[in-house]
Amino acid sequence: MTLDILIGIVLTAIALGGVVVLALWSRRIIERIHAHSPGSLREIQKEIINGNKS
């Protein structure tokens, strides 16, 4: 295996890991919004901010 192939595999694995982390994080936020069903965007933003602090 050449160095270029090895670097490509590592970068691809890191990128795939990043996509998975972002997808799981987004899903958690969406589920939290759905569970509390706030009425406005401002309430959603406050819920996200307060949820991240606790």
Side-chain angles (χ1 to χ4, degrees), residues 31-50:
E31 287 177 356
R32 185 185 310 149
I33 291 170
H34 178 71
H36 296 286
S37 60
S40 68
L41 178 59
R42 184 166 295 181
E43 291 175 8
I44 292 170
Q45 289 173 333
K46 286 181 182 178
E47 176 66 30
I48 290 171
I49 291 169
N50 292 337

Side-chain angles (χ1 to χ4, degrees), residues 13-24:
I14 290 171
L16 180 59
V19 168
V20 169
V21 167
L22 288 174
L24 293 175

Side-chain angles (χ1 to χ4, degrees), residues 8-28:
I9 291 171
V10 169
L11 288 177
T12 302
I14 290 171
L16 180 59
V19 168
V20 169
V21 167
L22 288 174
L24 293 175
W25 180 56
S26 298
R27 183 178 173 103
R28 185 180 65 119

